Amino acid sequence: MGYKVVVVGATGNVGREMLNILAERQFPLDDIAAVASPRSTGDIIDFGDTGRELKVQNIEHFDFSGWDIALFAAGSGPARTYAPRAAAAGCTVIDNSSLFRMDADVPLIVPEVNPEAIDGYAKRNIIANPNCSTAQMVVALKPLHDAAGITRVVVSTYQSVSGAGKEGMDELFEQSRGIFVGDSSEAKKFTKQIAFNVIPHIDSFVGPETDYDGYTKEELKMAQETNKILDPGILVTATCVRVPVFVGHSEAINIEFERPISVKEAQAILRESPGIMLFDKREDGGYITPIECVGEYATYVSRVRKDPTVANGLVLWCVSDNLRKGAALNAVQIAELLGRRHLKKAA
């Protein structure tokens, strides 16, 4: 006996990746539905490499009754309208948008980090998937926090354009092509030209009513979500930057600890930690870059080194496929966790 699963926003980058990962991981399914906005109704999309094709159904008319799990990858607007409807119909929602993440009654889950938090899902029958940049960072931080107690994190991100959806990927491609052939490189999706450039601005700016005046919402999300997922006592400050990479987010993370921890200790811990692949050699090319993580499940850690400017500090480089661990993979892992701990329909 398996599960009946709905993928909402199935025609987008993350929705398609959810279908791919459900197929790859052989998630125990009795039925699978692809759902999207009216403009995509009737489209045919592949269910991974299974050879099965799915006809996209209209979210406005879809009945969630009788379905077990809905993976939402449609953004905050559709989530606001349809996630509570699905939850009320008895279908547990795992939402990829930011809408429910800081709701006290909604668990915010990274399975390698806080699996026990899923036990509170029944309050609203909704589970939140974290921000892509947060997800990979807390996977790397968790085992180090357990070992030496993290007090402060300073992170700079290098986030790919796929984090802004298909429009972001199209803009990078079109601008790059246009520059080479002498056509226009006008910015539409992003605030400035993204081709051959970097933009220190992701999401809108936070106002002066908070301590984060001058930060962006993306930077604020990383702080707040890390506190909710990992530990409310950790101080987090972030600078989030969009870079001309199609897929794969990178992060330079500076970590301060309560207790001493050596580079060798940290490497040994990370090497044995779930979800992490340590690739750290003191030589040319002895690190992982975004292009090498595309299509992979792991969060890659490289360049672990001591920070000599503080008492107990380390610095590391962290890379992951943002469409996978940063979104679709984490959502499917949450569904697997939900099945194991609560729904228990599959053998």
Side-chain angles (χ1 to χ4, degrees), residues 178-204:
I179 289 169
F180 278 121
V181 300
D183 287 347
S184 169
S185 59
E186 179 185 0
K188 297 177 182 177
K189 177 65 178 178
F190 300 113
T191 56
K192 295 196 176 189
Q193 176 185 310
I194 185 59
F196 308 99
N197 196 20
V198 299
I199 305 172
H201 177 193
I202 300 177
D203 210 329
S204 57

PDB file of all heavy atoms in Angstrom, residues 178-204:
ATOM      1  N   GLY A 178      22.897  37.841 -26.010  1.00  0.00           N
ATOM      2  CA  GLY A 178      22.806  39.185 -26.560  1.00  0.00           C
ATOM      3  C   GLY A 178      24.121  39.930 -26.522  1.00  0.00           C
ATOM      4  O   GLY A 178      24.478  40.648 -27.472  1.00  0.00           O
ATOM      5  N   ILE A 179      24.867  39.762 -25.437  1.00  0.00           N
ATOM      6  CA  ILE A 179      26.160  40.440 -25.321  1.00  0.00           C
ATOM      7  C   ILE A 179      27.128  39.938 -26.377  1.00  0.00           C
ATOM      8  O   ILE A 179      27.870  40.716 -26.997  1.00  0.00           O
ATOM      9  CB  ILE A 179      26.719  40.251 -23.895  1.00  0.00           C
ATOM     10  CG1 ILE A 179      25.875  41.082 -22.907  1.00  0.00           C
ATOM     11  CG2 ILE A 179      28.191  40.652 -23.820  1.00  0.00           C
ATOM     12  CD1 ILE A 179      26.151  40.775 -21.454  1.00  0.00           C
ATOM     13  N   PHE A 180      27.121  38.652 -26.635  1.00  0.00           N
ATOM     14  CA  PHE A 180      28.040  38.078 -27.622  1.00  0.00           C
ATOM     15  C   PHE A 180      27.729  38.528 -29.041  1.00  0.00           C
ATOM     16  O   PHE A 180      28.638  38.685 -29.865  1.00  0.00           O
ATOM     17  CB  PHE A 180      28.017  36.553 -27.539  1.00  0.00           C
ATOM     18  CG  PHE A 180      28.887  36.000 -26.449  1.00  0.00           C
ATOM     19  CD1 PHE A 180      28.344  35.223 -25.438  1.00  0.00           C
ATOM     20  CD2 PHE A 180      30.250  36.245 -26.436  1.00  0.00           C
ATOM     21  CE1 PHE A 180      29.142  34.710 -24.429  1.00  0.00           C
ATOM     22  CE2 PHE A 180      31.058  35.735 -25.428  1.00  0.00           C
ATOM     23  CZ  PHE A 180      30.502  34.970 -24.418  1.00  0.00           C
ATOM     24  N   VAL A 181      26.438  38.743 -29.337  1.00  0.00           N
ATOM     25  CA  VAL A 181      26.076  39.105 -30.720  1.00  0.00           C
ATOM     26  C   VAL A 181      25.754  40.584 -30.874  1.00  0.00           C
ATOM     27  O   VAL A 181      25.356  41.028 -31.950  1.00  0.00           O
ATOM     28  CB  VAL A 181      24.874  38.253 -31.213  1.00  0.00           C
ATOM     29  CG1 VAL A 181      25.216  36.777 -31.177  1.00  0.00           C
ATOM     30  CG2 VAL A 181      23.610  38.540 -30.417  1.00  0.00           C
ATOM     31  N   GLY A 182      25.924  41.350 -29.778  1.00  0.00           N
ATOM     32  CA  GLY A 182      25.719  42.785 -29.869  1.00  0.00           C
ATOM     33  C   GLY A 182      24.286  43.239 -29.712  1.00  0.00           C
ATOM     34  O   GLY A 182      23.952  44.380 -30.044  1.00  0.00           O
ATOM     35  N   ASP A 183      23.410  42.359 -29.182  1.00  0.00           N
ATOM     36  CA  ASP A 183      22.023  42.744 -28.938  1.00  0.00           C
ATOM     37  C   ASP A 183      21.873  43.353 -27.538  1.00  0.00           C
ATOM     38  O   ASP A 183      22.828  43.447 -26.765  1.00  0.00           O
ATOM     39  CB  ASP A 183      21.099  41.527 -29.065  1.00  0.00           C
ATOM     40  CG  ASP A 183      20.920  41.094 -30.507  1.00  0.00           C
ATOM     41  OD1 ASP A 183      21.298  41.867 -31.402  1.00  0.00           O
ATOM     42  OD2 ASP A 183      20.426  39.972 -30.730  1.00  0.00           O
ATOM     43  N   SER A 184      20.642  43.700 -27.215  1.00  0.00           N
ATOM     44  CA  SER A 184      20.340  44.311 -25.922  1.00  0.00           C
ATOM     45  C   SER A 184      20.589  43.333 -24.777  1.00  0.00           C
ATOM     46  O   SER A 184      20.382  42.124 -24.907  1.00  0.00           O
ATOM     47  CB  SER A 184      18.875  44.762 -25.903  1.00  0.00           C
ATOM     48  OG  SER A 184      18.479  45.125 -24.595  1.00  0.00           O
ATOM     49  N   SER A 185      21.024  43.868 -23.634  1.00  0.00           N
ATOM     50  CA  SER A 185      21.178  43.069 -22.419  1.00  0.00           C
ATOM     51  C   SER A 185      20.320  43.655 -21.300  1.00  0.00           C
ATOM     52  O   SER A 185      20.711  43.691 -20.139  1.00  0.00           O
ATOM     53  CB  SER A 185      22.648  43.008 -21.989  1.00  0.00           C
ATOM     54  OG  SER A 185      23.141  44.323 -21.749  1.00  0.00           O
ATOM     55  N   GLU A 186      19.149  44.137 -21.655  1.00  0.00           N
ATOM     56  CA  GLU A 186      18.252  44.802 -20.708  1.00  0.00           C
ATOM     57  C   GLU A 186      17.853  43.866 -19.575  1.00  0.00           C
ATOM     58  O   GLU A 186      17.528  42.692 -19.776  1.00  0.00           O
ATOM     59  CB  GLU A 186      16.997  45.278 -21.443  1.00  0.00           C
ATOM     60  CG  GLU A 186      15.986  45.970 -20.538  1.00  0.00           C
ATOM     61  CD  GLU A 186      14.707  46.314 -21.277  1.00  0.00           C
ATOM     62  OE1 GLU A 186      14.621  46.016 -22.482  1.00  0.00           O
ATOM     63  OE2 GLU A 186      13.800  46.875 -20.632  1.00  0.00           O
ATOM     64  N   ALA A 187      17.853  44.388 -18.346  1.00  0.00           N
ATOM     65  CA  ALA A 187      17.434  43.624 -17.168  1.00  0.00           C
ATOM     66  C   ALA A 187      15.916  43.697 -17.025  1.00  0.00           C
ATOM     67  O   ALA A 187      15.323  44.776 -17.089  1.00  0.00           O
ATOM     68  CB  ALA A 187      18.099  44.175 -15.914  1.00  0.00           C
ATOM     69  N   LYS A 188      15.292  42.550 -16.847  1.00  0.00           N
ATOM     70  CA  LYS A 188      13.842  42.480 -16.654  1.00  0.00           C
ATOM     71  C   LYS A 188      13.503  41.781 -15.337  1.00  0.00           C
ATOM     72  O   LYS A 188      12.847  42.334 -14.477  1.00  0.00           O
ATOM     73  CB  LYS A 188      13.187  41.757 -17.830  1.00  0.00           C
ATOM     74  CG  LYS A 188      13.360  42.476 -19.157  1.00  0.00           C
ATOM     75  CD  LYS A 188      12.745  41.674 -20.301  1.00  0.00           C
ATOM     76  CE  LYS A 188      12.960  42.381 -21.637  1.00  0.00           C
ATOM     77  NZ  LYS A 188      12.430  41.568 -22.768  1.00  0.00           N
ATOM     78  N   LYS A 189      13.971  40.552 -15.186  1.00  0.00           N
ATOM     79  CA  LYS A 189      13.701  39.796 -13.963  1.00  0.00           C
ATOM     80  C   LYS A 189      14.533  40.313 -12.802  1.00  0.00           C
ATOM     81  O   LYS A 189      14.047  40.416 -11.676  1.00  0.00           O
ATOM     82  CB  LYS A 189      13.991  38.310 -14.202  1.00  0.00           C
ATOM     83  CG  LYS A 189      13.811  37.412 -12.975  1.00  0.00           C
ATOM     84  CD  LYS A 189      12.357  37.375 -12.532  1.00  0.00           C
ATOM     85  CE  LYS A 189      12.196  36.432 -11.349  1.00  0.00           C
ATOM     86  NZ  LYS A 189      10.792  36.405 -10.865  1.00  0.00           N
ATOM     87  N   PHE A 190      15.785  40.643 -13.079  1.00  0.00           N
ATOM     88  CA  PHE A 190      16.692  41.114 -12.037  1.00  0.00           C
ATOM     89  C   PHE A 190      16.816  42.627 -12.085  1.00  0.00           C
ATOM     90  O   PHE A 190      16.447  43.270 -13.069  1.00  0.00           O
ATOM     91  CB  PHE A 190      18.058  40.443 -12.191  1.00  0.00           C
ATOM     92  CG  PHE A 190      17.999  38.947 -12.088  1.00  0.00           C
ATOM     93  CD1 PHE A 190      18.284  38.151 -13.195  1.00  0.00           C
ATOM     94  CD2 PHE A 190      17.641  38.324 -10.903  1.00  0.00           C
ATOM     95  CE1 PHE A 190      18.225  36.771 -13.104  1.00  0.00           C
ATOM     96  CE2 PHE A 190      17.575  36.947 -10.802  1.00  0.00           C
ATOM     97  CZ  PHE A 190      17.861  36.161 -11.907  1.00  0.00           C
ATOM     98  N   THR A 191      17.348  43.210 -11.008  1.00  0.00           N
ATOM     99  CA  THR A 191      17.432  44.666 -10.898  1.00  0.00           C
ATOM    100  C   THR A 191      18.552  45.259 -11.738  1.00  0.00           C
ATOM    101  O   THR A 191      18.535  46.454 -12.046  1.00  0.00           O
ATOM    102  CB  THR A 191      17.630  45.078  -9.436  1.00  0.00           C
ATOM    103  OG1 THR A 191      18.802  44.418  -8.924  1.00  0.00           O
ATOM    104  CG2 THR A 191      16.432  44.684  -8.592  1.00  0.00           C
ATOM    105  N   LYS A 192      19.544  44.434 -12.075  1.00  0.00           N
ATOM    106  CA  LYS A 192      20.638  44.870 -12.941  1.00  0.00           C
ATOM    107  C   LYS A 192      21.013  43.709 -13.850  1.00  0.00           C
ATOM    108  O   LYS A 192      20.536  42.588 -13.685  1.00  0.00           O
ATOM    109  CB  LYS A 192      21.851  45.323 -12.120  1.00  0.00           C
ATOM    110  CG  LYS A 192      21.577  46.566 -11.272  1.00  0.00           C
ATOM    111  CD  LYS A 192      22.859  47.217 -10.781  1.00  0.00           C
ATOM    112  CE  LYS A 192      22.538  48.501 -10.020  1.00  0.00           C
ATOM    113  NZ  LYS A 192      23.753  49.283  -9.696  1.00  0.00           N
ATOM    114  N   GLN A 193      21.866  43.980 -14.822  1.00  0.00           N
ATOM    115  CA  GLN A 193      22.341  42.924 -15.713  1.00  0.00           C
ATOM    116  C   GLN A 193      22.958  41.802 -14.893  1.00  0.00           C
ATOM    117  O   GLN A 193      23.818  42.033 -14.041  1.00  0.00           O
ATOM    118  CB  GLN A 193      23.385  43.492 -16.681  1.00  0.00           C
ATOM    119  CG  GLN A 193      24.014  42.451 -17.590  1.00  0.00           C
ATOM    120  CD  GLN A 193      25.111  43.041 -18.443  1.00  0.00           C
ATOM    121  OE1 GLN A 193      24.920  44.065 -19.091  1.00  0.00           O
ATOM    122  NE2 GLN A 193      26.278  42.405 -18.430  1.00  0.00           N
ATOM    123  N   ILE A 194      22.535  40.557 -15.141  1.00  0.00           N
ATOM    124  CA  ILE A 194      23.084  39.414 -14.419  1.00  0.00           C
ATOM    125  C   ILE A 194      24.206  38.744 -15.207  1.00  0.00           C
ATOM    126  O   ILE A 194      25.130  38.183 -14.617  1.00  0.00           O
ATOM    127  CB  ILE A 194      21.977  38.399 -14.057  1.00  0.00           C
ATOM    128  CG1 ILE A 194      22.540  37.263 -13.180  1.00  0.00           C
ATOM    129  CG2 ILE A 194      21.293  37.845 -15.295  1.00  0.00           C
ATOM    130  CD1 ILE A 194      23.151  37.691 -11.881  1.00  0.00           C
ATOM    131  N   ALA A 195      24.168  38.781 -16.529  1.00  0.00           N
ATOM    132  CA  ALA A 195      25.227  38.159 -17.326  1.00  0.00           C
ATOM    133  C   ALA A 195      26.556  38.855 -17.067  1.00  0.00           C
ATOM    134  O   ALA A 195      26.644  40.089 -17.132  1.00  0.00           O
ATOM    135  CB  ALA A 195      24.879  38.223 -18.810  1.00  0.00           C
ATOM    136  N   PHE A 196      27.594  38.083 -16.737  1.00  0.00           N
ATOM    137  CA  PHE A 196      28.938  38.605 -16.492  1.00  0.00           C
ATOM    138  C   PHE A 196      28.947  39.640 -15.361  1.00  0.00           C
ATOM    139  O   PHE A 196      29.716  40.593 -15.373  1.00  0.00           O
ATOM    140  CB  PHE A 196      29.536  39.201 -17.773  1.00  0.00           C
ATOM    141  CG  PHE A 196      29.476  38.268 -18.945  1.00  0.00           C
ATOM    142  CD1 PHE A 196      28.475  38.399 -19.900  1.00  0.00           C
ATOM    143  CD2 PHE A 196      30.396  37.243 -19.074  1.00  0.00           C
ATOM    144  CE1 PHE A 196      28.399  37.519 -20.976  1.00  0.00           C
ATOM    145  CE2 PHE A 196      30.327  36.365 -20.151  1.00  0.00           C
ATOM    146  CZ  PHE A 196      29.335  36.491 -21.101  1.00  0.00           C
ATOM    147  N   ASN A 197      28.071  39.422 -14.375  1.00  0.00           N
ATOM    148  CA  ASN A 197      27.940  40.386 -13.285  1.00  0.00           C
ATOM    149  C   ASN A 197      27.504  39.639 -12.032  1.00  0.00           C
ATOM    150  O   ASN A 197      27.143  38.456 -12.099  1.00  0.00           O
ATOM    151  CB  ASN A 197      26.894  41.448 -13.671  1.00  0.00           C
ATOM    152  CG  ASN A 197      26.959  42.689 -12.805  1.00  0.00           C
ATOM    153  OD1 ASN A 197      27.980  42.949 -12.167  1.00  0.00           O
ATOM    154  ND2 ASN A 197      25.891  43.457 -12.780  1.00  0.00           N
ATOM    155  N   VAL A 198      27.549  40.303 -10.884  1.00  0.00           N
ATOM    156  CA  VAL A 198      26.940  39.779  -9.658  1.00  0.00           C
ATOM    157  C   VAL A 198      26.073  40.879  -9.060  1.00  0.00           C
ATOM    158  O   VAL A 198      26.380  42.068  -9.193  1.00  0.00           O
ATOM    159  CB  VAL A 198      27.989  39.289  -8.633  1.00  0.00           C
ATOM    160  CG1 VAL A 198      28.823  38.156  -9.204  1.00  0.00           C
ATOM    161  CG2 VAL A 198      28.882  40.423  -8.153  1.00  0.00           C
ATOM    162  N   ILE A 199      24.978  40.483  -8.408  1.00  0.00           N
ATOM    163  CA  ILE A 199      24.012  41.447  -7.889  1.00  0.00           C
ATOM    164  C   ILE A 199      23.807  41.187  -6.393  1.00  0.00           C
ATOM    165  O   ILE A 199      23.253  40.151  -6.010  1.00  0.00           O
ATOM    166  CB  ILE A 199      22.666  41.337  -8.627  1.00  0.00           C
ATOM    167  CG1 ILE A 199      22.866  41.487 -10.142  1.00  0.00           C
ATOM    168  CG2 ILE A 199      21.676  42.374  -8.110  1.00  0.00           C
ATOM    169  CD1 ILE A 199      21.610  41.198 -10.958  1.00  0.00           C
ATOM    170  N   PRO A 200      24.220  42.125  -5.520  1.00  0.00           N
ATOM    171  CA  PRO A 200      24.082  41.909  -4.073  1.00  0.00           C
ATOM    172  C   PRO A 200      22.675  42.251  -3.580  1.00  0.00           C
ATOM    173  O   PRO A 200      22.490  43.096  -2.697  1.00  0.00           O
ATOM    174  CB  PRO A 200      25.131  42.870  -3.500  1.00  0.00           C
ATOM    175  CG  PRO A 200      25.124  44.008  -4.462  1.00  0.00           C
ATOM    176  CD  PRO A 200      24.900  43.406  -5.823  1.00  0.00           C
ATOM    177  N   HIS A 201      21.690  41.577  -4.160  1.00  0.00           N
ATOM    178  CA  HIS A 201      20.297  41.933  -3.876  1.00  0.00           C
ATOM    179  C   HIS A 201      19.412  40.766  -4.297  1.00  0.00           C
ATOM    180  O   HIS A 201      19.255  40.485  -5.475  1.00  0.00           O
ATOM    181  CB  HIS A 201      19.932  43.199  -4.650  1.00  0.00           C
ATOM    182  CG  HIS A 201      18.503  43.626  -4.500  1.00  0.00           C
ATOM    183  ND1 HIS A 201      17.929  44.578  -5.310  1.00  0.00           N
ATOM    184  CD2 HIS A 201      17.524  43.217  -3.651  1.00  0.00           C
ATOM    185  CE1 HIS A 201      16.667  44.751  -4.958  1.00  0.00           C
ATOM    186  NE2 HIS A 201      16.395  43.929  -3.954  1.00  0.00           N
ATOM    187  N   ILE A 202      18.836  40.063  -3.303  1.00  0.00           N
ATOM    188  CA  ILE A 202      17.873  38.994  -3.565  1.00  0.00           C
ATOM    189  C   ILE A 202      16.651  39.248  -2.693  1.00  0.00           C
ATOM    190  O   ILE A 202      16.755  39.381  -1.480  1.00  0.00           O
ATOM    191  CB  ILE A 202      18.469  37.606  -3.273  1.00  0.00           C
ATOM    192  CG1 ILE A 202      19.696  37.357  -4.160  1.00  0.00           C
ATOM    193  CG2 ILE A 202      17.431  36.517  -3.497  1.00  0.00           C
ATOM    194  CD1 ILE A 202      20.412  36.038  -3.890  1.00  0.00           C
ATOM    195  N   ASP A 203      15.494  39.318  -3.316  1.00  0.00           N
ATOM    196  CA  ASP A 203      14.223  39.657  -2.663  1.00  0.00           C
ATOM    197  C   ASP A 203      14.219  41.158  -2.324  1.00  0.00           C
ATOM    198  O   ASP A 203      15.147  41.891  -2.637  1.00  0.00           O
ATOM    199  CB  ASP A 203      13.977  38.779  -1.428  1.00  0.00           C
ATOM    200  CG  ASP A 203      12.490  38.551  -1.147  1.00  0.00           C
ATOM    201  OD1 ASP A 203      11.668  39.430  -1.456  1.00  0.00           O
ATOM    202  OD2 ASP A 203      12.142  37.485  -0.632  1.00  0.00           O
ATOM    203  N   SER A 204      13.156  41.608  -1.679  1.00  0.00           N
ATOM    204  CA  SER A 204      12.998  43.041  -1.398  1.00  0.00           C
ATOM    205  C   SER A 204      13.736  43.432  -0.121  1.00  0.00           C
ATOM    206  O   SER A 204      14.104  42.575   0.693  1.00  0.00           O
ATOM    207  CB  SER A 204      11.514  43.386  -1.271  1.00  0.00           C
ATOM    208  OG  SER A 204      10.899  42.597  -0.265  1.00  0.00           O
TER     209      SER A 204
END
